[in-house]
């Protein structure tokens, strides 16, 4: 499989983290919306994806806001 996405060399760390945070918020929104149309078991799996994305976004945001060392 050929690589379809790459990160520009020399990208500012803060810009990369901000973009990652936005992408993770999209994952959360997509998973939450999809969960509304699934059976109970599948819904739990999709909502766990949303929760993991939310936790990852919180970590990214903590770095951006200077709350992480």
């Amino acid at each position: 499989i050929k690589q379809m996405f790459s990160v520009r060399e020399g990208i500012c760390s803060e810009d990369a983290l901000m973009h990652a945070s936005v992408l993770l918020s999209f994952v959360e929104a997509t998973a939450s919306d999809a969960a509304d149309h699934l059976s109970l078991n599948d819904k739990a799996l999709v909502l766990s994806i949303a929760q993991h994305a939310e936790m990852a976004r919180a970590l990214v945001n903590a770095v951006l806001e200077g709350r992480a060392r």
Side-chain angles (χ1 to χ4, degrees):
I1 298 175
K2 291 187 178 191
Q3 183 176 355
M4 295 180 66
F5 177 83
S6 63
V7 177
R8 179 176 42 89
E9 189 165 336
I11 190 169
C12 168
S13 297
E14 184 175 357
D15 289 345
L17 287 170
M18 287 173 57
H19 193 73
S21 180
V22 170
L23 291 172
L24 288 164
S25 71
F26 293 161
V27 171
E28 290 174 58
T30 302
S32 293
D33 188 52
D36 292 338
H37 307 285
L38 298 172
S39 67
L40 190 57
N41 189 48
D42 292 337
K43 185 177 204 167
L45 292 171
V46 171
L47 288 175
S48 74
I49 292 169
Q51 185 175 22
H52 285 93
E54 180 182 4
M55 291 186 295
R57 188 170 52 84
L59 290 168
V60 168
N61 289 345
V63 172
L64 285 170
E65 295 165 4
R67 290 184 281 135
R69 291 192 263 165

